[in-house]
Amino acid sequence: MVELMRRRGLPWLLLLAALAAPFLMSGYDLNLLARFMAMAILSLGLVLLWGHGGILSLGQGLFFGLGGYAIAMHMKLADLPGGSLPDFMVWTGRTALPGWWAPFASPAFALLAVLLLPALAGALFAWSMVRRRIGGTYFAIITQALALAFATFLISRQEVTGGFNGLTGFQSLFGWQLADQKVGRGLYWLTLALLCLGFIGIRALLASRFGTLLGAMRDGENRMRFLGYDPAPYRMVAFGIAAFLAGLSGALFTLHAGVISPAMVGVVPSIEMVILVAVGGRMSPAGAIFGTIAVCYARDFISSSFPDLWLYLLGALFIAVVTLLPGGLAGLVRQRRA
Amino acid sequence: MTTATADLLLAVDGVTVDYSGFKALDGFSLTLGRRETRVVIGPNGAGKSTLCDCIIGRVRPSAGRILLRGEDITQKPEHAIVGAGICRKFQAPGVLAALSVAQNLALAARRDRRWWKALGTGMSAAEQETVAAVLAEIDLAGRREVLAGTLSHGEKQWLEIGMVVATGAELLLLDEPTAGMGPAETSRTAALIRRLAQSRSVLVIDHDMRFVEELGAQVTVMHQGRFLFQGGIADVRADAQVAQVYLGSHR
């Protein structure tokens, strides 16, 4: 009975604590937690794509960035008095808004862009790869190149992207003042709700035939192909869903952090995203959420005291997990229960 | 050859597979009738597995055609070839170790392979029926919920034969189905294949002569990618040419 309570009760207790967090934490700590929860939404996508699909993407930063920049562009425009240009465009001497910026002034367009752009871009890219049966290491390297190209584009086209500094200095979202504590809490709960929805959705997907087939195509691609399955559409959909979650994650993260910049979407952050999931357990949605939040806290703590040390520690952590704990933290929990 | 056109299921017509100069298949032809069982034998490198690879679309021939019920399937995508009614059991068992026996059969039994139809759970009534029937056929009904990875080698081979059957294929390609089996298991496999062959066409590759005898089917002998001989097992044993290239070394 106690065992049952422990198993069934723990998730609800954690959810309760998470719901009450705004009343228990300082605004700063709450903001930090909200950012990490936003990152965990991206991790859920990697559980599906990498853990169960066997498709390693080292370019999730691209989709994270698409979501983040979409909402950031909207906020830059929404804060402006009519007809004027975002601050960085003025500094770099631009005299007119680029055509592709203009539609982001509409909240509905920006929201649609956050929800659709990363998913469609991801699905399209994945289709062009899996249709030609590009997989494994080659696939991972190409995704990495995508993240690199995206970050390079952002940095080199400063007059339209904000360059190295990215987009920052947001004041309001859809008319709500971001500095208002109530808005901060609201966004926190929104992030929590979306994380829970993502968790439930990914669990359901993994429990469905789709999840079984995706795993079977990872373990026995040839067998599945010659049983009459074409793995390409399944993999495209898995990649699209992971890109969708990455975009959502990027938009929420940008709201909490108040900035989106090339430093958050390039090669290193994309690899970090994979490590977060490896530590938590790439097969387990719950493990990925806790791994992400735990490593993000560690990162925040260590990089604020020893900024140079973090990347080394992260690398060491990755090696340790891969060699000693292939199932991540979730694998450890499962072992102890068994 | 002797098969009437109406009863013809598969025709391999002058197929050549050229691996930059080395011809794994060299203008090879073969026909197979409906509900016919054929055994293909030949020494190592004769092109038996390449023949299977060509039929299922894993290797594309540089010349020649493959017809199923008169329809050219030579360039069809692999999954479409399975959809047309051909399924192959590979030499090394390719069962999905992480799934149960029933799950392995269920994913083979599924007819609608579109991804959005996979978002549900469970099996349709028709799939359950197929899985139950195949489980009984391959004699693994008692192992239904066992993970396929924990089966014995022989059971894995039977499960994979079951998966191939569960696709509803009209033509089964069985590539060394008795590889790694003892005499008792080999006999059971022969009996299983004879039962399966009552309602479908079967093309078996093997070089265990006792097993081939138990199957009691017509034998096609291949040598260096070409057709060498066809006949009953007794004729094959009696043929001097075959003995020279193949049986001689085994006698």
Side-chain angles (χ1 to χ4, degrees), chain A residues 235-252:
Chain A
R235 290 177 170 161
M236 175 195 70
V237 169
F239 198 95
I241 292 171
F244 166 79
L245 291 170
L248 190 62
S249 162
L252 291 167

Side-chain angles (χ1 to χ4, degrees), chain A residues 20-266:
Chain A
F23 307 109
L24 308 170
M25 285 176 160
S26 73
Y28 175 80
D29 284 329
L30 187 69
N31 180 271
L32 221 51
L33 181 60
R35 286 185 209 185
F36 302 161
M37 283 182 170
M39 287 304 301
I41 294 177
L42 182 145
S43 299
L44 287 173
L46 280 176
V47 170
L48 176 73
L49 182 67
W50 182 38
H52 292 264
I55 303 161
L56 176 58
S57 168
L58 296 176
Q60 291 307 91
L62 166 60
F63 309 108
F64 181 86
L66 286 178
Y69 272 91
I71 200 75
M73 284 163 73
H74 169 69
M75 289 192 289
K76 285 309 267 188
L77 293 177
D79 288 341
L80 289 176
S84 55
L85 288 178
D87 44 14
F88 68 91
M89 288 191 192
V90 177
W91 300 333
T92 49
R94 262 197 90 95
T95 51
L97 199 66
W100 53 276
W101 266 76
F104 285 91
S106 146
F109 182 88
L111 214 54
L112 274 178
V114 166
L115 296 176
L116 295 182
L117 189 65
L120 290 178
L124 206 68
F125 162 74
W127 184 243
S128 73
M129 295 286 111
V130 295
R131 203 170 42 115
R132 297 190 180 90
R133 303 195 185 164
I134 296 169
T137 321
Y138 297 104
F139 189 94
I141 291 171
I142 293 169
T143 55
Q144 174 126 95
L146 271 188
L148 182 64
F150 184 52
T152 308
F153 163 77
L154 292 172
I155 293 170
S156 62
R157 297 297 307 278
Q158 186 178 4
E159 71 283 5
V160 290
T161 63
F164 187 76
N165 297 321
L167 300 177
T168 186
F170 317 123
Q171 270 125 48
S172 67
L173 172 72
F174 307 151
W176 299 304
Q177 292 304 308
L178 291 169
D180 187 341
Q181 194 198 25
K182 276 187 206 144
V183 173
R185 286 180 177 180
L187 285 176
Y188 167 83
W189 278 317
L190 175 70
T191 307
L192 178 63
L194 291 173
L195 177 61
C196 291
L197 272 179
F199 175 72
I200 294 167
I202 289 292
R203 291 239 319 194
L205 196 59
L206 292 178
S208 74
R209 275 192 301 267
F210 184 89
T212 309
L213 289 170
L214 200 62
M217 287 164 186
R218 171 202 60 203
D219 293 340
E221 169 161 0
N222 247 339
R223 186 58 279 178
M224 292 302 284
R225 200 184 288 287
F226 294 109
L227 280 176
Y229 285 92
D230 181 6
Y234 288 83
R235 290 177 170 161
M236 175 195 70
V237 169
F239 198 95
I241 292 171
F244 166 79
L245 291 170
L248 190 62
S249 162
L252 291 167
F253 187 91
T254 303
L255 289 175
H256 296 301
V259 56
I260 181 81
S261 79
M264 304 169 181
V265 308

Side-chain angles (χ1 to χ4, degrees), chain A residues 133 205 207-213 216 219-220 222-230 233-234 236-237, chain B residues 56 58 78-79 82 87-90 94 96 99 107 110 113-115 117-122 160 163 167:
Chain A
R133 303 195 185 164
L205 196 59
S208 74
R209 275 192 301 267
F210 184 89
T212 309
L213 289 170
D219 293 340
N222 247 339
R223 186 58 279 178
M224 292 302 284
R225 200 184 288 287
F226 294 109
L227 280 176
Y229 285 92
D230 181 6
Y234 288 83
M236 175 195 70
V237 169
Chain B
I56 62 165
R58 195 184 194 189
E78 299 91 329
H79 59 91
V82 179
C87 197
R88 172 187 184 180
K89 186 216 163 298
F90 288 88
L96 297 149
L99 300 180
L107 58 84
R110 192 155 179 82
R113 270 82 190 277
R114 289 172 298 182
W115 65 266
K117 296 284 185 175
L119 296 176
T121 53
E160 200 183 1
M163 289 163 75
T167 63

